[in-house]
Each structure stands twice: as C-alpha cells, then as structure tokens.
C-alpha cells in the first residue's frame, strides 16, 4: 500500500500503526491501538456528523486492528460500517470502495467463506476498474485476492491467470524490488 515512506499522509499512519506493532512484537499494542481508535471514534461521533469521512476512516481502522487480532467477526462489523458511511457520502462508485470491498473479502476468506470473499473481490474489481487507473496497485491487489480464491479451490490455472495479471501491474507500477511483487511471485 505504501510505496514511499517519506511521503505519508494521515491515513497511511493509521494503516501502519497495527502493522508496525505486529512486527515489534508488543502483544498489548493491538489492544492499546484498538482503545485509541475507539476513543477517536467516540470523540468524533460527538462532534461530527455520522456520515463524515473521518468516521468511516476510524471504523476502517478499528476493523483493521480487529483483523490483525484475528477477531474476524468484529473486523467485518467495522469494515461494513466504514463501507456504508463511505457509500452514503460518495455513492457506490468511488475509489476507496475497492479497498473496502477487498478488506471485507479478506475477512470472508479467513472465515473460509470463499463464495462471499469472491463476491467482494469482484465488487472491488468492478469499482476499481471504473474509478482507478487500470494499472493501480489496488487493482493488482484485487487480482491477487481473486487468484487466492481460485488457488484455495484448487483451480490452479485460473489462479495463475489472476496472479499474472497482478504481477504485470505490480512490475509496471511498483518495480521489481517491492514486497507486493515478492508476494505475487510466491503465489505463482
């Protein structure tokens, strides 16, 4: 998701918080992270409208933290709230919806509900294809996710098709030495 760490925006920091602590090994960090995100949400709800983009971001961040904790049902609850708020603001066809659908799809994948995961990934691809550049990393992520569904279903030929689509985009946008490229090579 983040290519150049010297050019981070606020949402990138929110995205990184649970990932950084995951690597740091602080077992209590995700709990603290969750507490701070929930405090942010509570304060924001008291001063902002329910359909404010920040409220959607905080819900997504809480969902992300639950995801990293392995609490997929709670992650799903907050991801769906984030999607609903964002859709009420932007409508159904906005770029971040592709990320929202991918997040929800990942939860379903981890719950072994491949049909619902694939449905979410296909929505992500549809939205992403109509709102993002065809070589956007989110499109590559979606292709990778779809490939993983087919791989899990032992449809290796179809999985390879999607992994190769992801790799083509990643190489053109991210370059050879990017962790997403390494992941896709590993999937292939």
């Amino acid at each position: 998701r983040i290519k150049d760490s010297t050019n981070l925006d606020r949402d990138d920091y929110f995205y990184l918080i649970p990932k950084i602590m995951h690597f740091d090994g602080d077992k209590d960090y995700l709990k603290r992270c969750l507490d701070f995100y929930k405090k942010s949400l509570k304060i924001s709800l008291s001063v902002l409208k329910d359909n404010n983009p920040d409220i959607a971001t905080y819900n997504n961040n809480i969902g992300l933290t639950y995801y990293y904790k392995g609490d997929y049902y709670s992650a799903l609850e907050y991801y769906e709230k984030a999607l609903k708020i964002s859709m009420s603001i932007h409508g159904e066809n906005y770029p971040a919806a592709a990320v929202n659908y991918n997040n929800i799809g990942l939860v379903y994948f981890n719950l072994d509900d491949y049909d619902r995961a694939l449905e979410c990934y296909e929505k992500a691809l549809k939205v992403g294809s109509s709102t993002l550049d065809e070589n956007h990393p989110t499109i590559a992520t979606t292709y990778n996710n779809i490939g993983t569904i087919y791989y899990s279903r032992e449809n290796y030929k179809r999985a390879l098709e999607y992994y190769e689509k992801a790799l083509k985009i990643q190489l053109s946008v991210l370059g050879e030495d990017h962790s997403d490229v390494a992941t896709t090579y590993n999937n292939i």
Side-chain angles (χ1 to χ4, degrees):
R1 176 174 139 97
I2 299 172
K3 186 175 181 181
D4 178 3
S5 62
T6 61
N7 187 21
L8 300 177
D9 64 23
R10 182 182 59 138
D11 290 341
D12 290 329
Y13 285 107
F14 284 130
Y15 172 78
L16 280 174
I17 289 172
K19 282 188 162 264
I20 290 168
M21 293 317 295
H22 177 73
F23 292 114
D24 189 41
D26 183 346
K27 294 177 184 175
D28 294 324
Y29 186 77
L30 288 176
K31 181 187 177 320
R32 290 195 319 266
C33 198
L34 195 56
D35 290 342
F36 284 116
Y37 284 149
K38 286 186 174 184
K39 284 179 185 179
S40 297
L41 179 61
K42 183 178 179 180
I43 292 167
S44 296
L45 283 170
S46 71
V47 295
L48 300 172
K49 293 180 180 181
D50 289 347
N51 67 343
N52 185 286
D54 287 342
I55 303 297
T57 298
Y58 299 149
N59 276 289
N60 188 71
N61 294 337
I62 292 169
L64 183 66
T65 306
Y66 276 124
Y67 179 83
Y68 283 122
K69 287 175 63 86
D71 184 348
Y72 299 124
Y73 291 104
S74 295
L76 183 61
E77 174 187 346
Y78 282 93
Y79 282 154
E80 287 178 341
K81 285 180 186 181
L83 177 63
K84 182 178 178 183
I85 292 166
S86 294
M87 288 176 77
S88 75
I89 297 166
H90 305 289
E92 292 188 24
N93 233 15
Y94 66 101
V99 174
N100 293 134
Y101 283 124
N102 270 315
N103 287 346
I104 293 169
L106 286 170
V107 170
Y108 283 125
F109 179 81
N110 281 282
L111 293 172
D112 296 327
D113 189 342
Y114 300 142
D115 290 336
R116 289 178 89 177
L118 183 58
E119 181 182 312
C120 289
Y121 297 150
E122 287 172 344
K123 286 180 182 178
L125 187 57
K126 180 180 177 188
V127 171
S129 295
S130 67
T131 62
L132 299 168
D133 181 75
E134 65 184 18
N135 286 327
H136 194 279
T138 297
I139 303 291
T141 297
T142 305
Y143 283 144
N144 231 328
N145 290 343
I146 293 171
T148 302
I149 292 291
Y150 286 113
Y151 183 87
S152 297
R153 290 179 169 171
E154 298 181 6
N155 187 340
Y156 304 122
K157 182 177 178 181
R158 193 88 192 263
L160 183 59
E161 290 173 25
Y162 281 96
Y163 291 148
E164 287 175 342
K165 288 180 182 184
L167 184 62
K168 181 178 177 185
I169 293 170
Q170 291 167 336
L171 289 172
S172 71
V173 177
L174 303 174
E176 185 77 31
D177 295 329
H178 193 277
S179 61
D180 289 354
V181 172
T183 298
T184 302
Y185 276 131
N186 184 64
N187 289 346
I188 292 172

